[in-house]
Amino acid sequence: MKRFLIKIVLLTLAFVVVNMVMLFSVPRDKNHYMRTYSAKIQQLDATPPPRIIFIGGSNIPFGISSPVMADSLHRPVIDLGLQAGIGARYLLKDCLPYVRKGDVVVLQLEYEHFYGTNKGDQEVFLLFLLENNWRNWTQLDAIQWKFVLADIPTQAIANMKRLRRYLRKHTFDTPIQGDKFDYVKSGFNKWGDEVSHLHFPSTYTPSVIPTNKVVDKDFINWMDHILNQYEKAGAKVLMLPPVCVKSQYASSYSEDIGRELHRIGRPYVTSPDALVLDDSLAFNTGYHLNAKGVEKNTQRIISILSQHLP
């Protein structure tokens, strides 16, 4: 029995060591989509206030033109949107130290954040940390650490594949592949908008599955608490519904979200359907717009924000 236990312990240690070696020894992809986040934070830090700061998922970089918005609203626009799977809790905690007096923070979260994905997605969170040098890893809670630990074997295997790719093609770069479109850091402009997709044809296939998910009231209360800290730092916070197309809206929005936001005194500054567009304006998901969609959505948001800027 003792021998058996020793073998189990040794095998476990070997498994852990192999995973750690593969996780940390293989060079990262310098053009990885997730690395864009660090560049966005650097841009935020380097831009003096007052600014308009968009925080949320990929509906933002795939939905607005920051330079057009900045020109119309006469102040810098910082697009911090990247991927909903990073989680709203991480984003809001990480961005808080950069907020300054006079800033306008536009919180534009995907509806899924309100149903329990606000701490991130397991298949995204560890990869995000790896590509951003474990940024603010000390702030992670137990559930986020669970995501990290559970995904280590997957990322280790992915690195084995990247190492094999290097031996064949002499590159560690592994872009996230979409349908005829690759998600890469170089696809973003200096304002933080994803612009490379604007040159690709739309590939979106509408699908409507009405949601019956329950709104996460704990997250709503937590969000209210941290947004109070944003306001104490001197920022004005505006709740804006995410841009999406009709089929996505039908699948994702629940009136319960609106009721909960009213309960904490933070309703959307416009009706959710005000930022809903026709399915023909989607790019490859219901939250990502094509070129015409970006143009139309940008003008809508300019109109909305112009009524609420200090």
Side-chain angles (χ1 to χ4, degrees):
M1 183 66 179
K2 185 178 180 180
R3 273 187 163 184
F4 176 74
L5 290 176
I6 291 175
K7 287 182 178 179
I8 293 296
V9 170
L10 290 176
L11 285 172
T12 301
L13 287 175
F15 177 78
V16 171
V17 169
V18 169
N19 275 273
M20 291 300 100
V21 168
M22 293 310 304
L23 195 65
F24 294 108
S25 65
V26 179
R28 306 308 308 174
D29 179 355
K30 294 181 180 180
N31 195 32
H32 198 280
Y33 180 84
M34 290 296 179
R35 285 202 169 200
T36 311
Y37 182 76
S38 292
K40 287 170 178 276
I41 291 294
Q42 291 172 8
Q43 178 72 8
L44 174 63
D45 192 34
T47 305
R51 306 155 297 185
I52 300 174
I53 304 169
F54 281 83
I55 299 177
S58 60
N59 83 92
I60 301 172
F62 282 84
I64 66 172
S65 172
S66 293
V68 171
M69 200 173 292
D71 185 60
S72 296
L73 298 176
H74 309 295
R75 65 179 71 188
V77 173
I78 309 295
D79 176 352
L80 293 182
L82 186 63
Q83 224 271 15
I86 299 168
R89 291 180 187 253
Y90 180 95
L91 289 172
L92 286 170
K93 286 191 292 185
D94 193 53
C95 297
L96 177 59
Y98 298 93
V99 174
R100 302 289 181 265
K101 183 178 180 180
D103 285 339
V104 174
V105 174
V106 181
L107 189 57
Q108 199 170 18
L109 302 177
E110 278 84 352
Y111 294 123
E112 286 71 20
H113 280 128
F114 295 104
Y115 301 129
T117 61
N118 46 75
K119 291 194 175 185
D121 292 336
Q122 179 175 307
E123 62 270 20
V124 170
F125 205 68
L126 174 57
L127 180 59
F128 169 78
L129 292 174
L130 288 170
E131 296 298 345
N132 290 279
N133 298 315
W134 291 86
R135 180 183 176 83
N136 279 344
W137 62 272
T138 57
Q139 295 186 19
L140 306 187
D141 65 17
I143 292 178
Q144 289 168 325
W145 272 116
K146 179 182 176 182
F147 291 161
V148 169
L149 295 175
D151 199 40
I152 286 176
T154 300
Q155 293 304 324
I157 292 172
N159 274 358
M160 290 180 186
K161 293 179 179 178
R162 294 177 62 238
L163 184 57
R164 187 172 61 186
R165 175 185 175 88
Y166 177 79
L167 295 174
R168 289 187 290 109
K169 298 188 177 182
H170 305 290
T171 178
F172 286 107
D173 291 357
T174 50
I176 301 174
Q177 294 182 339
D179 185 7
K180 301 179 181 180
F181 165 75
D182 288 340
Y183 292 81
V184 290
K185 179 183 176 183
S186 58
F188 289 79
N189 62 18
K190 65 178 183 179
W191 292 273
D193 306 332
E194 212 297 329
V195 294
S196 67
H197 79 283
L198 300 176
H199 308 292
F200 287 83
S202 298
T203 59
Y204 178 63
T205 301
S207 176
V208 179
I209 305 174
T211 182
N212 58 358
K213 297 180 180 178
V214 177
V215 174
D216 185 348
K217 293 184 180 181
D218 287 340
F219 169 66
I220 298 287
N221 294 333
W222 179 91
M223 182 182 71
D224 183 38
H225 173 73
I226 197 167
L227 291 182
N228 285 334
Q229 297 179 50
Y230 274 72
E231 291 166 342
K232 287 180 181 179
K236 180 174 183 177
V237 178
L238 300 176
M239 295 294 298
L240 198 65
V243 60
C244 61
V245 295
K246 291 179 180 177
S247 57
Q248 183 71 51
Y249 181 72
S251 299
S252 304
Y253 181 67
S254 165
E255 294 291 342
D256 290 341
I257 295 175
R259 282 190 284 269
E260 284 298 311
L261 292 178
H262 274 282
R263 176 179 65 81
I264 63 171
R266 296 187 181 278
Y268 286 132
V269 296
T270 188
S271 62
D273 58 7
L275 291 181
V276 176
L277 302 175
D278 189 79
D279 281 359
S280 64
L281 298 179
F283 171 56
N284 63 349
T285 81
Y287 283 120
H288 296 174
L289 304 181
N290 58 25
K292 290 183 179 179
V294 169
E295 181 180 356
K296 188 168 186 177
N297 180 60
T298 297
Q299 293 304 318
R300 284 188 179 184
I301 293 181
I302 289 172
S303 178
I304 292 168
L305 295 186
S306 63
Q307 302 174 40
H308 296 277
L309 294 182

